[in-house]
Amino acid sequence: MIADLHAHSNRSDGTLSPAAVVARARERGVTMLALTDHDSTDGLAEAAQAARGQGIELVNGVELSCRWQGTDVHVVGLAIDPVRLAGGLAAQQAARAARAQRIAERLQRAGAGEHLAAACALAGSDHPGRPHFARALVAAGVVRDEEHAFNRYLRQGQAAYVPTDWVGVSGAVAWIRAAGGVAVIAHPARYRLTRTRLRRLVAEFAAAGGQALEVKLPGQQPSQVEAMVRLADEFGLAGSVASDFHGPGSPWADLGAAGSLPPGARPVWELWCC
Ligand code: AMP
Ligand code: FE
Ligand code: FE
Ligand code: ZN
Protein backbone atom coordinates (compact mmCIF):
# COMPACT_ATOMS: atom_id res chain seq x y z
CA MET A 1 0.00 0.00 0.00
CA ILE A 2 1.19 3.52 -0.77
CA ALA A 3 -0.42 6.12 1.48
CA ASP A 4 -0.35 9.88 1.06
CA LEU A 5 -2.34 11.51 3.82
CA HIS A 6 -1.83 15.21 3.13
CA ALA A 7 -2.72 16.88 -0.20
CA HIS A 8 -4.35 20.10 -1.38
CA SER A 9 -6.76 20.94 -4.19
CA ASN A 10 -7.97 24.24 -5.61
CA ARG A 11 -10.61 24.31 -2.88
CA SER A 12 -7.78 25.88 -0.87
CA ASP A 13 -4.34 26.79 -2.24
CA GLY A 14 -3.65 23.80 -4.50
CA THR A 15 -3.81 24.19 -8.26
CA LEU A 16 -5.68 21.01 -9.32
CA SER A 17 -9.37 20.24 -8.87
CA PRO A 18 -10.21 17.56 -6.28
CA ALA A 19 -10.98 15.06 -9.07
CA ALA A 20 -7.65 15.82 -10.77
CA VAL A 21 -5.78 15.28 -7.49
CA VAL A 22 -7.40 11.84 -7.16
CA ALA A 23 -6.60 10.95 -10.79
CA ARG A 24 -2.97 12.00 -10.41
CA ALA A 25 -2.59 10.11 -7.12
CA ARG A 26 -3.92 6.98 -8.79
CA GLU A 27 -1.54 7.38 -11.77
CA ARG A 28 1.32 7.69 -9.33
CA GLY A 29 0.40 4.47 -7.53
CA VAL A 30 -1.08 5.96 -4.37
CA THR A 31 -3.65 3.57 -2.91
CA MET A 32 -4.79 5.62 0.10
CA LEU A 33 -5.17 9.37 -0.31
CA ALA A 34 -6.38 12.04 2.10
CA LEU A 35 -7.49 15.36 0.66
CA THR A 36 -6.61 17.93 3.36
CA ASP A 37 -7.46 21.42 2.18
CA HIS A 38 -6.71 24.35 4.48
CA ASP A 39 -9.76 24.98 6.70
CA SER A 40 -12.09 23.50 4.09
CA THR A 41 -13.84 20.22 3.33
CA ASP A 42 -15.48 21.59 0.17
CA GLY A 43 -13.52 19.26 -2.14
CA LEU A 44 -14.29 15.99 -0.38
CA ALA A 45 -17.52 15.12 -2.20
CA GLU A 46 -15.94 15.62 -5.63
CA ALA A 47 -12.84 13.64 -4.59
CA ALA A 48 -14.93 10.77 -3.23
CA GLN A 49 -16.91 10.66 -6.47
CA ALA A 50 -13.68 10.55 -8.50
CA ALA A 51 -12.20 7.79 -6.32
CA ARG A 52 -15.21 5.49 -6.53
CA GLY A 53 -14.36 2.17 -8.19
CA GLN A 54 -10.81 3.34 -9.04
CA GLY A 55 -8.88 1.21 -6.55
CA ILE A 56 -7.89 4.18 -4.44
CA GLU A 57 -9.21 4.75 -0.94
CA LEU A 58 -10.17 8.36 -0.26
CA VAL A 59 -9.87 9.51 3.36
CA ASN A 60 -11.86 12.59 4.36
CA GLY A 61 -9.36 15.15 5.60
CA VAL A 62 -8.77 18.79 6.48
CA GLU A 63 -5.79 20.91 7.57
CA LEU A 64 -6.64 23.35 10.35
CA SER A 65 -4.66 26.57 10.79
CA CYS A 66 -3.84 26.98 14.48
CA ARG A 67 -2.25 29.59 16.69
CA TRP A 68 0.23 28.20 19.22
CA GLN A 69 2.41 30.44 21.39
CA GLY A 70 2.71 33.11 18.71
CA THR A 71 3.43 30.66 15.88
CA ASP A 72 1.12 29.38 13.14
CA VAL A 73 1.02 25.58 13.23
CA HIS A 74 -1.11 23.12 11.26
CA VAL A 75 -3.17 20.21 12.56
CA VAL A 76 -4.50 17.71 10.04
CA GLY A 77 -7.77 15.89 10.71
CA LEU A 78 -8.19 12.46 9.08
CA ALA A 79 -11.30 10.30 8.72
CA ILE A 80 -13.46 13.21 9.81
CA ASP A 81 -17.16 13.69 9.31
CA PRO A 82 -17.29 17.02 7.43
CA VAL A 83 -20.82 17.77 8.61
CA ARG A 84 -19.77 17.74 12.25
CA LEU A 85 -16.76 19.96 11.48
CA ALA A 86 -18.76 22.62 9.64
CA GLY A 87 -19.26 25.01 12.58
CA GLY A 88 -15.54 25.22 13.34
CA LEU A 89 -14.62 25.65 9.69
CA ALA A 90 -17.09 28.53 9.30
CA ALA A 91 -15.24 30.36 12.11
CA GLN A 92 -11.87 29.66 10.48
CA GLN A 93 -13.09 30.94 7.13
CA ALA A 94 -14.46 34.11 8.74
CA ALA A 95 -11.01 34.64 10.28
CA ARG A 96 -9.47 34.08 6.82
CA ALA A 97 -11.79 36.61 5.19
CA ALA A 98 -11.01 39.26 7.84
CA ARG A 99 -7.30 38.51 7.56
CA ALA A 100 -7.42 38.87 3.77
CA GLN A 101 -8.76 42.41 4.12
CA ARG A 102 -5.95 43.29 6.49
CA ILE A 103 -3.27 41.66 4.31
CA ALA A 104 -4.54 43.75 1.39
CA GLU A 105 -4.41 46.94 3.47
CA ARG A 106 -0.88 46.18 4.58
CA LEU A 107 0.29 45.42 1.05
CA GLN A 108 -1.12 48.74 -0.06
CA ARG A 109 0.56 50.57 2.81
CA ALA A 110 3.84 48.86 1.90
CA GLY A 111 3.56 50.28 -1.62
CA ALA A 112 2.84 46.92 -3.31
CA GLY A 113 -0.54 47.98 -4.71
CA GLU A 114 -4.11 46.72 -4.41
CA HIS A 115 -4.50 42.92 -4.67
CA LEU A 116 -7.62 41.88 -2.75
CA ALA A 117 -9.87 41.46 -5.79
CA ALA A 118 -7.21 39.48 -7.67
CA ALA A 119 -6.52 37.22 -4.68
CA CYS A 120 -10.26 36.55 -4.23
CA ALA A 121 -10.60 35.77 -7.94
CA LEU A 122 -7.68 33.32 -7.77
CA ALA A 123 -9.18 31.64 -4.69
CA GLY A 124 -12.72 31.68 -6.05
CA SER A 125 -13.91 32.93 -2.65
CA ASP A 126 -13.86 35.89 -0.26
CA HIS A 127 -11.27 34.17 1.96
CA PRO A 128 -8.09 33.86 -0.11
CA GLY A 129 -4.92 32.55 1.53
CA ARG A 130 -1.44 33.96 1.39
CA PRO A 131 -0.52 31.85 -1.67
CA HIS A 132 -3.31 33.58 -3.59
CA PHE A 133 -1.86 36.97 -2.65
CA ALA A 134 1.56 35.65 -3.67
CA ARG A 135 0.22 34.63 -7.09
CA ALA A 136 -1.51 38.00 -7.49
CA LEU A 137 1.76 39.79 -6.69
CA VAL A 138 3.59 37.67 -9.28
CA ALA A 139 0.89 38.28 -11.92
CA ALA A 140 1.10 42.04 -11.29
CA GLY A 141 4.88 41.96 -11.72
CA VAL A 142 5.54 43.17 -8.17
CA VAL A 143 7.74 40.15 -7.35
CA ARG A 144 9.44 37.55 -9.53
CA ASP A 145 7.96 34.42 -7.87
CA GLU A 146 5.81 33.22 -4.98
CA GLU A 147 8.78 32.49 -2.76
CA HIS A 148 9.89 36.10 -3.17
CA ALA A 149 6.34 37.30 -2.35
CA PHE A 150 6.50 35.39 0.95
CA ASN A 151 10.01 36.52 1.78
CA ARG A 152 9.39 40.16 0.88
CA TYR A 153 5.81 40.64 2.18
CA LEU A 154 3.82 37.68 3.49
CA ARG A 155 5.80 35.60 5.93
CA GLN A 156 5.94 36.23 9.65
CA GLY A 157 8.09 39.29 10.33
CA GLN A 158 7.34 40.95 6.97
CA ALA A 159 5.16 44.00 6.29
CA ALA A 160 1.97 42.25 5.16
CA TYR A 161 1.99 39.41 7.71
CA VAL A 162 -1.14 39.51 9.86
CA PRO A 163 -1.28 37.50 13.09
CA THR A 164 -4.59 35.67 13.02
CA ASP A 165 -6.92 34.42 15.69
CA TRP A 166 -6.99 30.81 14.49
CA VAL A 167 -8.28 28.05 16.73
CA GLY A 168 -5.73 26.84 19.31
CA VAL A 169 -4.06 23.43 19.05
CA SER A 170 -6.19 21.88 21.81
CA GLY A 171 -9.32 23.39 20.28
CA ALA A 172 -8.44 21.97 16.86
CA VAL A 173 -7.93 18.51 18.36
CA ALA A 174 -11.29 18.78 20.14
CA TRP A 175 -13.08 19.75 16.90
CA ILE A 176 -11.49 16.87 15.00
CA ARG A 177 -12.30 14.30 17.67
CA ALA A 178 -15.86 15.59 17.97
CA ALA A 179 -16.11 15.02 14.20
CA GLY A 180 -15.03 11.39 14.72
CA GLY A 181 -11.56 11.97 13.27
CA VAL A 182 -7.90 11.47 14.12
CA ALA A 183 -5.77 14.59 14.76
CA VAL A 184 -2.26 14.72 13.29
CA ILE A 185 0.45 17.37 13.73
CA ALA A 186 1.39 18.45 10.19
CA HIS A 187 5.01 18.84 8.99
CA PRO A 188 6.55 19.22 12.49
CA ALA A 189 9.96 20.26 11.18
CA ARG A 190 8.60 23.24 9.25
CA TYR A 191 7.83 25.49 12.22
CA ARG A 192 11.49 26.09 13.03
CA LEU A 193 10.78 25.44 16.70
CA THR A 194 13.62 24.52 19.03
CA ARG A 195 13.58 20.89 20.17
CA THR A 196 12.27 21.98 23.55
CA ARG A 197 9.38 23.95 22.08
CA LEU A 198 8.53 21.20 19.58
CA ARG A 199 8.33 18.74 22.48
CA ARG A 200 6.09 21.17 24.33
CA LEU A 201 3.81 21.42 21.30
CA VAL A 202 3.65 17.63 20.94
CA ALA A 203 3.00 17.18 24.67
CA GLU A 204 0.13 19.68 24.64
CA PHE A 205 -1.29 18.10 21.49
CA ALA A 206 -1.13 14.57 22.93
CA ALA A 207 -2.66 15.68 26.24
CA ALA A 208 -5.58 17.20 24.30
CA GLY A 209 -6.27 13.87 22.56
CA GLY A 210 -4.10 14.25 19.44
CA GLN A 211 -3.10 10.85 18.08
CA ALA A 212 -0.48 11.15 15.33
CA LEU A 213 2.50 13.01 13.89
CA GLU A 214 3.58 13.36 10.26
CA VAL A 215 6.90 11.51 10.49
CA LYS A 216 7.68 11.21 6.76
CA LEU A 217 7.67 14.00 4.18
CA PRO A 218 9.46 14.24 0.81
CA GLY A 219 13.11 15.21 0.95
CA GLN A 220 13.65 14.67 4.66
CA GLN A 221 17.01 13.38 5.87
CA PRO A 222 16.85 9.85 7.33
CA SER A 223 18.12 11.23 10.65
CA GLN A 224 15.22 13.69 10.75
CA VAL A 225 12.70 10.94 9.98
CA GLU A 226 14.18 8.82 12.78
CA ALA A 227 13.97 11.75 15.19
CA MET A 228 10.28 12.22 14.35
CA VAL A 229 9.56 8.49 14.74
CA ARG A 230 11.19 8.61 18.20
CA LEU A 231 9.25 11.73 19.15
CA ALA A 232 5.96 10.11 18.09
CA ASP A 233 6.81 6.95 20.01
CA GLU A 234 7.70 8.89 23.13
CA PHE A 235 4.26 10.49 23.25
CA GLY A 236 2.34 7.39 22.15
CA LEU A 237 1.50 8.88 18.75
CA ALA A 238 1.02 7.04 15.47
CA GLY A 239 2.93 8.06 12.34
CA SER A 240 1.57 9.59 9.13
CA VAL A 241 2.99 10.01 5.60
CA ALA A 242 2.52 13.35 3.87
CA SER A 243 3.54 14.86 0.54
CA ASP A 244 1.73 18.17 1.26
CA PHE A 245 1.09 18.25 -2.49
CA HIS A 246 -0.11 21.64 -3.80
CA GLY A 247 0.21 21.08 -7.56
CA PRO A 248 2.34 19.55 -10.34
CA GLY A 249 4.67 22.57 -10.32
CA SER A 250 6.62 21.23 -7.33
CA PRO A 251 7.97 17.82 -8.39
CA TRP A 252 9.77 17.29 -5.04
CA ALA A 253 6.40 17.31 -3.30
CA ASP A 254 4.39 15.28 -5.79
CA LEU A 255 1.69 12.85 -4.71
CA GLY A 256 3.20 9.75 -3.13
CA ALA A 257 6.66 11.35 -3.01
CA ALA A 258 7.00 10.81 0.73
CA GLY A 259 7.25 7.05 0.11
CA SER A 260 6.30 4.51 2.73
CA LEU A 261 5.95 4.75 6.48
CA PRO A 262 9.35 4.20 8.14
CA PRO A 263 9.92 1.13 10.30
CA GLY A 264 9.09 1.72 13.92
CA ALA A 265 6.16 4.04 13.23
CA ARG A 266 2.66 2.82 14.05
CA PRO A 267 0.45 3.44 10.98
CA VAL A 268 -2.10 6.17 11.60
CA TRP A 269 -4.68 4.40 9.43
CA GLU A 270 -4.92 1.59 12.00
CA LEU A 271 -6.72 4.16 14.16
CA TRP A 272 -9.73 4.20 11.85
CA CYS A 273 -9.62 1.24 9.52
CA CYS A 274 -9.17 -1.82 11.80
P1 AMP B 1 -2.21 30.57 4.72
O1 AMP B 1 -2.86 29.34 5.29
O2 AMP B 1 -3.13 31.36 3.86
O3 AMP B 1 -1.53 31.39 5.77
O4 AMP B 1 -1.08 30.05 3.73
C1 AMP B 1 -0.19 29.06 4.14
C2 AMP B 1 0.30 28.31 2.91
O5 AMP B 1 1.19 29.15 2.20
C3 AMP B 1 1.08 27.07 3.20
O6 AMP B 1 0.23 25.96 3.32
C4 AMP B 1 1.92 26.92 1.96
O7 AMP B 1 1.15 26.32 0.94
C5 AMP B 1 2.17 28.36 1.55
N1 AMP B 1 3.48 28.87 1.96
C6 AMP B 1 3.89 29.14 3.22
N2 AMP B 1 5.14 29.65 3.22
C7 AMP B 1 5.53 29.70 1.94
C8 AMP B 1 6.73 30.13 1.27
N3 AMP B 1 7.77 30.62 1.95
N4 AMP B 1 6.74 30.04 -0.08
C9 AMP B 1 5.71 29.55 -0.78
N5 AMP B 1 4.56 29.13 -0.21
C10 AMP B 1 4.48 29.20 1.12
FE1 FE C 1 -0.85 25.39 1.59
FE1 FE D 1 0.49 22.96 6.26
ZN1 ZN E 1 -0.72 21.34 3.74
Side-chain angles (χ1 to χ4, degrees):
M1 182 184 64
I2 299 183
D4 187 343
L5 299 175
H6 186 152
H8 296 269
S9 76
N10 62 8
R11 295 305 191 273
S12 63
D13 59 358
T15 56
L16 300 183
S17 69
V21 173
V22 171
R24 188 179 181 92
R26 189 174 159 269
E27 280 164 22
R28 292 183 50 84
V30 172
T31 53
M32 182 190 278
L33 172 74
L35 186 68
T36 57
D37 276 310
H38 296 285
D39 303 305
S40 173
T41 55
D42 291 353
L44 295 179
E46 181 185 317
Q49 172 76 27
R52 206 157 294 146
Q54 297 296 309
I56 178 166
E57 184 181 344
L58 196 271
V59 177
N60 281 341
V62 71
E63 183 174 20
L64 296 176
S65 309
C66 303
R67 195 77 184 158
W68 184 78
Q69 297 192 351
T71 302
D72 293 322
V73 303
H74 289 168
V75 172
V76 161
L78 297 176
I80 45 137
D81 170 3
V83 174
R84 285 187 278 165
L85 207 58
L89 294 184
Q92 294 281 96
Q93 286 174 9
R96 269 187 182 277
R99 181 187 69 157
Q101 306 258 0
R102 296 184 59 205
I103 290 175
E105 285 163 19
R106 291 189 182 203
L107 283 172
Q108 216 155 19
R109 225 179 302 148
E114 162 53 43
H115 300 283
L116 184 59
C120 288
L122 288 165
S125 77
D126 69 344
H127 48 269
R130 287 182 292 164
H132 302 109
F133 279 99
R135 287 168 208 164
L137 288 162
V138 174
V142 179
V143 291
R144 62 179 175 272
D145 56 25
E146 292 178 36
E147 196 60 38
H148 189 206
F150 271 87
N151 287 333
R152 173 78 179 78
Y153 295 107
L154 299 167
R155 70 171 167 78
Q156 193 155 7
Q158 296 308 115
Y161 175 79
V162 176
T164 306
D165 200 13
W166 306 120
V167 65
V169 165
S170 305
V173 171
W175 286 356
I176 290 165
R177 298 220 47 174
V182 172
V184 188
I185 296 185
H187 39 66
R190 212 176 287 165
Y191 310 124
R192 298 165 187 269
L193 298 172
T194 61
R195 279 171 58 171
T196 308
R197 291 192 72 219
L198 179 58
R199 288 174 58 84
R200 208 171 289 154
L201 168 65
V202 173
E204 185 177 321
F205 169 82
Q211 291 172 285
L213 185 68
E214 287 181 355
V215 296
K216 185 95 183 289
L217 286 104
Q220 274 184 320
Q221 298 300 320
S223 61
Q224 194 172 33
V225 175
E226 281 162 30
M228 292 307 146
V229 170
R230 277 199 304 274
L231 185 61
D233 186 54
E234 191 182 335
F235 288 92
L237 303 178
S240 188
V241 187
S243 68
D244 201 3
F245 176 74
H246 279 76
S250 311
W252 60 90
D254 212 327
L255 291 158
S260 54
L261 198 66
R266 191 157 46 87
V268 66
W269 50 87
E270 289 181 358
L271 293 170
W272 66 80
C273 82
C274 313

